[in-house]
Coordinates of all heavy atoms in Angstrom, one line a residue:
P326 N -89.5 3.0 -87.8 CA -88.5 1.8 -87.8 C -87.2 2.2 -87.2 O -86.7 3.3 -87.1 CB -88.4 1.6 -89.3 CG -88.8 3.0 -89.9 CD -89.6 3.7 -89.1
N327 N -86.5 1.2 -86.7 CA -85.1 1.2 -86.2 C -84.2 1.0 -87.3 O -84.5 0.4 -88.3 CB -84.9 0.2 -85.1 CG -85.6 0.6 -83.8 OD1 -85.6 1.7 -83.4 ND2 -86.2 -0.4 -83.1
P328 N -83.0 1.5 -87.3 CA -82.1 1.5 -88.4 C -81.4 0.1 -88.5 O -80.2 -0.1 -88.4 CB -81.1 2.6 -88.0 CG -81.0 2.6 -86.6 CD -82.4 2.2 -86.1
V329 N -82.2 -0.9 -89.0 CA -81.7 -2.2 -89.2 C -81.5 -2.3 -90.8 O -82.3 -2.0 -91.5 CB -82.6 -3.3 -88.7 CG1 -82.1 -4.7 -89.1 CG2 -82.9 -3.2 -87.3
A330 N -80.3 -2.8 -91.2 CA -80.0 -2.9 -92.6 C -81.0 -3.9 -93.2 O -81.3 -4.9 -92.8 CB -78.6 -3.4 -92.8
P331 N -81.5 -3.5 -94.5 CA -82.2 -4.4 -95.3 C -81.5 -5.7 -95.6 O -80.2 -5.7 -95.5 CB -82.7 -3.7 -96.5 CG -81.8 -2.5 -96.6 CD -81.3 -2.2 -95.2
L332 N -82.2 -6.8 -95.9 CA -81.4 -8.1 -96.0 C -80.3 -8.2 -97.1 O -79.5 -8.9 -97.1 CB -82.5 -9.3 -96.2 CG -83.2 -9.6 -94.9 CD1 -84.2 -10.8 -95.2 CD2 -82.2 -9.9 -93.8
G333 N -80.5 -7.4 -98.1 CA -79.5 -7.3 -99.1 C -79.2 -8.5 -100.0 O -80.3 -9.0 -100.4
D334 N -78.1 -8.9 -100.3 CA -77.7 -9.8 -101.4 C -78.0 -11.2 -100.8 O -77.2 -11.9 -100.5 CB -76.3 -9.6 -101.7 CG -75.8 -10.7 -102.7 OD1 -76.7 -11.2 -103.4 OD2 -74.6 -10.9 -102.9
M335 N -79.3 -11.7 -101.1 CA -79.7 -12.9 -100.7 C -79.1 -14.0 -101.5 O -78.7 -15.1 -101.0 CB -81.3 -13.1 -100.7 CG -82.0 -12.2 -99.7 SD -81.6 -12.8 -98.0 CE -82.5 -14.3 -98.0
A336 N -78.9 -13.8 -102.8 CA -78.3 -14.7 -103.7 C -76.9 -15.0 -103.3 O -76.4 -16.2 -103.4 CB -78.4 -14.3 -105.3
G337 N -76.2 -14.0 -102.8 CA -74.8 -14.2 -102.5 C -74.6 -14.4 -101.0 O -73.5 -14.4 -100.5
A338 N -75.7 -14.8 -100.4 CA -75.5 -15.0 -98.8 C -74.7 -16.1 -98.4 O -74.6 -17.1 -99.1 CB -77.0 -15.2 -98.3
L339 N -74.1 -16.0 -97.2 CA -73.4 -17.1 -96.6 C -74.4 -17.9 -96.0 O -75.2 -17.5 -95.2 CB -72.4 -16.4 -95.6 CG -71.5 -17.3 -94.8 CD1 -70.5 -18.1 -95.8 CD2 -70.7 -16.5 -93.9
R340 N -74.4 -19.2 -96.3 CA -75.4 -20.2 -95.9 C -74.8 -21.2 -94.9 O -73.8 -21.7 -95.2 CB -76.2 -20.8 -97.0 CG -77.0 -19.9 -97.8 CD -77.6 -20.4 -98.9 NE -78.4 -19.2 -99.7 CZ -79.6 -19.0 -99.5 NH1 -80.3 -19.8 -98.7 NH2 -80.1 -18.0 -100.1
L341 N -75.6 -21.5 -93.9 CA -75.4 -22.5 -92.9 C -76.5 -23.3 -92.5 O -77.6 -22.8 -92.3 CB -74.8 -21.9 -91.7 CG -74.3 -22.8 -90.6 CD1 -73.0 -23.5 -90.8 CD2 -74.4 -22.0 -89.2
D342 N -76.4 -24.6 -92.4 CA -77.4 -25.5 -91.8 C -77.0 -25.7 -90.4 O -76.0 -25.9 -90.0 CB -77.5 -26.8 -92.5 CG -78.3 -26.9 -93.8 OD1 -78.8 -25.7 -94.2 OD2 -78.4 -27.9 -94.4
L343 N -78.0 -25.5 -89.5 CA -77.8 -25.8 -88.1 C -78.8 -26.8 -87.6 O -80.0 -26.6 -87.4 CB -78.1 -24.4 -87.3 CG -77.7 -24.5 -85.9 CD1 -76.2 -24.5 -85.6 CD2 -78.3 -23.3 -85.1
R344 N -78.2 -28.0 -87.3 CA -79.0 -29.1 -86.9 C -79.1 -29.1 -85.3 O -78.0 -29.2 -84.7 CB -78.6 -30.4 -87.4 CG -79.4 -31.6 -87.1 CD -79.1 -32.9 -87.9 NE -79.2 -32.7 -89.3 CZ -80.3 -32.9 -89.9 NH1 -81.3 -33.3 -89.4 NH2 -80.4 -32.8 -91.3
M345 N -80.2 -29.1 -84.9 CA -80.5 -29.1 -83.3 C -80.9 -30.6 -83.0 O -81.9 -31.1 -83.6 CB -81.6 -28.2 -83.0 CG -81.3 -26.8 -83.5 SD -82.8 -25.9 -84.0 CE -83.5 -25.5 -82.4
E346 N -80.1 -31.2 -82.1 CA -80.4 -32.5 -81.8 C -80.3 -32.7 -80.2 O -79.7 -31.9 -79.5 CB -79.2 -33.3 -82.3 CG -79.1 -33.6 -83.8 CD -77.9 -34.4 -84.1 OE1 -76.8 -33.9 -84.1 OE2 -78.2 -35.6 -84.5
G347 N -80.9 -33.9 -79.8 CA -80.7 -34.3 -78.5 C -82.0 -34.2 -77.7 O -83.1 -34.0 -78.2
G348 N -81.9 -34.2 -76.4 CA -83.0 -34.1 -75.4 C -83.8 -35.4 -75.3 O -83.4 -36.4 -76.0
A349 N -84.6 -35.4 -74.3 CA -85.6 -36.6 -74.2 C -86.3 -36.9 -75.4 O -86.7 -36.1 -76.1 CB -86.4 -36.4 -72.9
M350 N -86.4 -38.1 -75.6 CA -87.2 -38.7 -76.8 C -86.5 -38.2 -78.2 O -87.2 -38.0 -79.2 CB -88.6 -38.2 -76.9 CG -89.4 -38.9 -75.7 SD -91.1 -38.0 -75.4 CE -90.5 -36.5 -74.5
G351 N -85.2 -38.0 -78.1 CA -84.5 -37.6 -79.2 C -83.7 -38.8 -79.8 O -83.7 -39.9 -79.1
A352 N -83.0 -38.7 -80.9 CA -82.3 -39.8 -81.6 C -80.8 -39.6 -81.3 O -80.0 -40.3 -82.0 CB -82.7 -40.1 -82.9
M353 N -80.3 -38.6 -80.6 CA -78.9 -38.3 -80.6 C -78.1 -39.4 -79.9 O -78.5 -39.9 -78.9 CB -78.7 -37.0 -79.9 CG -77.3 -36.5 -79.9 SD -77.1 -34.8 -79.4 CE -76.6 -35.0 -77.8
T354 N -77.0 -39.9 -80.6 CA -76.3 -41.0 -80.0 C -74.9 -40.4 -79.4 O -74.3 -41.2 -78.6 CB -75.9 -42.0 -81.0 OG1 -75.4 -41.3 -82.2 CG2 -77.2 -42.7 -81.5
G355 N -74.6 -39.2 -79.7 CA -73.3 -38.7 -79.1 C -73.0 -37.4 -79.8 O -73.8 -36.9 -80.6
A356 N -72.0 -36.8 -79.2 CA -71.7 -35.4 -79.8 C -70.2 -35.0 -79.4 O -69.6 -35.7 -78.4 CB -72.6 -34.3 -79.3
V357 N -69.7 -34.0 -79.9 CA -68.4 -33.6 -79.5 C -68.5 -32.5 -78.3 O -69.2 -31.7 -78.4 CB -67.7 -32.9 -80.8 CG1 -66.4 -32.2 -80.3 CG2 -67.5 -33.9 -81.9
L358 N -67.7 -32.9 -77.4 CA -67.7 -32.0 -76.2 C -66.2 -31.5 -75.9 O -65.4 -32.4 -75.9 CB -68.3 -32.6 -75.0 CG -68.2 -31.7 -73.7 CD1 -69.0 -30.5 -73.8 CD2 -68.7 -32.5 -72.5
D359 N -65.9 -30.3 -75.9 CA -64.5 -29.8 -75.7 C -63.5 -30.5 -76.7 O -62.4 -30.9 -76.3 CB -64.0 -30.0 -74.3 CG -64.9 -29.3 -73.2 OD1 -65.3 -28.2 -73.6 OD2 -65.1 -29.8 -72.1
G360 N -64.0 -30.7 -77.9 CA -63.1 -31.3 -79.0 C -63.0 -32.8 -79.0 O -62.4 -33.3 -79.9
R361 N -63.8 -33.5 -78.0 CA -63.7 -34.9 -78.0 C -65.1 -35.6 -78.3 O -66.0 -35.1 -77.7 CB -63.3 -35.4 -76.6 CG -61.7 -35.0 -76.3 CD -61.3 -35.9 -75.2 NE -62.2 -35.7 -74.0 CZ -62.5 -36.7 -73.2 NH1 -62.2 -38.0 -73.4 NH2 -63.4 -36.4 -72.1
P362 N -65.2 -36.5 -79.2 CA -66.4 -37.2 -79.4 C -66.8 -38.1 -78.2 O -66.0 -38.7 -77.8 CB -66.1 -38.0 -80.6 CG -64.8 -38.2 -80.8 CD -64.1 -37.1 -80.0
L363 N -68.0 -37.8 -77.7 CA -68.5 -38.6 -76.5 C -69.8 -39.3 -76.9 O -70.7 -38.7 -77.6 CB -68.7 -37.7 -75.3 CG -67.5 -37.0 -74.8 CD1 -68.0 -36.2 -73.5 CD2 -66.4 -38.0 -74.4
S364 N -70.0 -40.4 -76.3 CA -71.3 -41.2 -76.4 C -72.4 -40.4 -75.6 O -72.0 -39.5 -74.8 CB -71.2 -42.5 -75.9 OG -71.1 -42.4 -74.3
M365 N -73.6 -40.7 -75.9 CA -74.7 -39.9 -75.3 C -74.5 -40.1 -73.7 O -74.8 -39.1 -73.0 CB -76.1 -40.5 -75.7 CG -77.3 -39.7 -75.4 SD -77.2 -38.1 -76.0 CE -78.5 -37.2 -75.2
Q366 N -74.3 -41.3 -73.3 CA -74.2 -41.5 -71.9 C -73.1 -40.7 -71.2 O -73.2 -40.1 -70.1 CB -74.0 -43.0 -71.6 CG -74.2 -43.5 -70.2 CD -73.8 -45.0 -70.1 OE1 -73.4 -45.7 -71.1 NE2 -73.8 -45.4 -68.8
A367 N -71.9 -40.7 -71.9 CA -70.8 -39.9 -71.4 C -71.2 -38.4 -71.4 O -70.8 -37.8 -70.5 CB -69.5 -40.1 -72.2
L368 N -71.9 -37.9 -72.4 CA -72.3 -36.5 -72.5 C -73.2 -36.2 -71.3 O -72.9 -35.3 -70.6 CB -73.2 -36.3 -73.7 CG -72.4 -36.1 -75.0 CD1 -73.3 -35.9 -76.2 CD2 -71.5 -34.9 -75.0
V369 N -74.1 -37.1 -71.0 CA -75.0 -36.9 -69.8 C -74.2 -36.8 -68.6 O -74.5 -35.9 -67.7 CB -76.1 -38.0 -69.8 CG1 -76.9 -37.9 -68.4 CG2 -77.0 -37.7 -71.0
G370 N -73.2 -37.6 -68.5 CA -72.3 -37.6 -67.3 C -71.6 -36.2 -67.1 O -71.3 -35.8 -66.1
Q371 N -71.5 -35.5 -68.3 CA -70.8 -34.2 -68.3 C -72.0 -33.1 -68.3 O -71.6 -31.9 -68.5 CB -70.0 -34.1 -69.5 CG -68.9 -35.0 -69.6 CD -67.8 -34.8 -68.6 OE1 -67.3 -33.7 -68.5 NE2 -67.4 -35.9 -67.9
G372 N -73.2 -33.5 -68.0 CA -74.2 -32.5 -67.9 C -74.6 -31.9 -69.4 O -75.2 -30.8 -69.4
K373 N -74.4 -32.7 -70.3 CA -74.7 -32.2 -71.6 C -75.7 -33.2 -72.3 O -75.6 -34.4 -72.2 CB -73.5 -32.1 -72.6 CG -72.5 -31.0 -72.1 CD -73.0 -29.6 -72.4 CE -72.0 -28.5 -72.0 NZ -72.2 -28.1 -70.6
V374 N -76.7 -32.6 -73.0 CA -77.7 -33.5 -73.6 C -78.4 -33.0 -74.9 O -79.2 -33.6 -75.5 CB -78.9 -33.8 -72.5 CG1 -79.6 -32.5 -72.2 CG2 -79.8 -34.9 -72.9
W375 N -77.8 -31.8 -75.4 CA -78.2 -31.4 -76.6 C -76.9 -31.0 -77.5 O -75.8 -30.8 -76.9 CB -78.9 -29.9 -76.4 CG -80.1 -30.0 -75.5 CD1 -80.2 -29.8 -74.2 CD2 -81.4 -30.3 -75.9 NE1 -81.3 -29.9 -73.7 CE2 -82.2 -30.3 -74.8 CE3 -82.0 -30.7 -77.1 CZ2 -83.7 -30.5 -74.7 CZ3 -83.4 -30.9 -77.1 CH2 -84.2 -30.9 -75.9

Side-chain angles (χ1 to χ4, degrees):
N327 287 320
V329 178
L332 284 181
D334 178 19
M335 294 293 291
L339 183 59
R340 288 175 185 269
L341 175 82
D342 278 0
L343 187 71
R344 185 169 296 276
M345 303 146 72
E346 290 177 288
M350 293 166 283
M353 187 164 98
T354 54
V357 172
L358 177 64
D359 297 329
R361 288 194 308 141
L363 294 184
S364 70
M365 191 67 189
Q366 198 186 351
L368 281 175
V369 170
Q371 303 288 310
K373 295 284 182 275
V374 65
W375 304 94

